[in-house]
Amino acid sequence: AQKITQTQPGMFVQEKEAVTLDCTYDTSDQSYGLFWYKQPSSGEMIFLIYQGSYDEQNATEGRYSLNFQKARKSANLVISASQLGDSAMYFCAMREAGGTSYGKLTFGQGTILTVHP
Amino acid sequence: GAVVSQHPSRVICKSGTSVKIECRSLDFQATTMFWYRQFPKQSLMLMATSNEGSKATYEQGVEKDKFLINHASLTLSTLTVTSAHPEDSSFYICSVPTAGGLSYEQYFGPGTRLTVT
């Protein structure tokens, strides 16, 4: 069974600084995908970044980068140059490769990020 | 533009009544859709997998007779909360995975906020 753990219920960061949101996972699958989503107060789920289990390089998307440490089963999200609009809830999620669970996402508990001016 | 729509975005109903929530895939056909439930400041929990042309697959602990899912076409899945009670008040989100492998493309609907009085 999969499990995603986000140990930081809340994080605070000063505007323009970088922040790291932690995520660890547990799976017996060799092939899997890791995702980070942002959920503002409106409730929409905004895709930020994806890392495949076989990807050798850490994923990057603009100000977002994923620090993927496969041996440690961690997939931390790094947000550089934080902006006030980054204040939201952030979810780490894992997707199974196939079979009857194809496409299903398992989410972590979430981290509420607050960016201070 | 939106790839997945949900209707309604908000609904208030009285205890004991039934509520139907629609999830539409606007840009592509979807043989599978997922329904999640999210309580305030908590994670998204998968309720069920909606399968076009066959019965939905429910997660452990989700009452299939209470949460009726119908995947009537390749673009529409509906979730009906029957005999709703205040504890069913929640944010319901559908998602549509893309086909094939571990592509990161999974599209979420904007969510439906249900309040049962």
Side-chain angles (χ1 to χ4, degrees), chain A residues 31-33 35 37 39 41-45 47 50 52-53 61 89 91 95-98 100-110 112, chain B residues 10 32 34 36 38 40-46 49 57 59 91 93 95 97-111 113:
Chain A
S31 183
Y32 50 88
F35 302 75
Y37 287 90
Q39 187 182 43
S41 56
S42 61
E44 63 180 313
M45 295 293 286
F47 166 76
Y50 167 81
S53 59
E61 290 285 350
M89 192 154 189
F91 290 100
R95 177 171 169 173
E96 296 186 54
T100 58
S101 300
Y102 170 74
K104 184 165 66 173
L105 289 177
T106 302
F107 287 86
Q109 303 93 320
I112 298 175
Chain B
R10 290 178 178 270
T32 300
F34 297 107
Y36 295 86
Q38 184 183 29
K41 297 198 187 311
Q42 293 189 25
S43 185
L44 278 75
M45 299 301 296
L46 181 67
T49 303
T57 306
E59 296 299 302
F91 192 58
I93 310 175
S95 76
T98 55
L102 280 170
S103 166
Y104 61 78
E105 295 183 30
Q106 171 144 178
Y107 300 101
F108 283 86
R113 199 166 299 279

Side-chain angles (χ1 to χ4, degrees), chain B residues 7-22:
Chain B
H7 178 81
S9 57
R10 290 178 178 270
V11 58
I12 301 172
C13 71
K14 292 187 176 180
S15 187
T17 62
S18 294
V19 175
K20 180 184 285 188
I21 302 170
E22 293 185 347

Side-chain angles (χ1 to χ4, degrees), chain B residues 30-104:
Chain B
T31 56
T32 300
M33 294 184 181
F34 297 107
W35 286 96
Y36 295 86
R37 179 169 57 181
Q38 184 183 29
F39 293 108
K41 297 198 187 311
Q42 293 189 25
S43 185
L44 278 75
M45 299 301 296
L46 181 67
M47 299 175 66
T49 303
S50 176
N51 304 301
E52 190 270 336
S54 63
K55 292 182 179 179
T57 306
Y58 290 82
E59 296 299 302
Q60 193 172 7
V62 177
E63 300 175 59
K64 61 181 180 181
D65 293 331
K66 181 168 184 62
F67 298 99
L68 301 179
I69 291 173
N70 181 25
H71 199 136
S73 73
L74 288 171
T75 59
L76 174 64
S77 174
T78 59
L79 167 68
T80 301
V81 183
T82 63
S83 187
H85 290 286
E87 56 266 30
D88 298 324
S89 298
S90 187
F91 192 58
Y92 293 87
I93 310 175
C94 67
S95 76
V96 180
T98 55
L102 280 170
S103 166
Y104 61 78

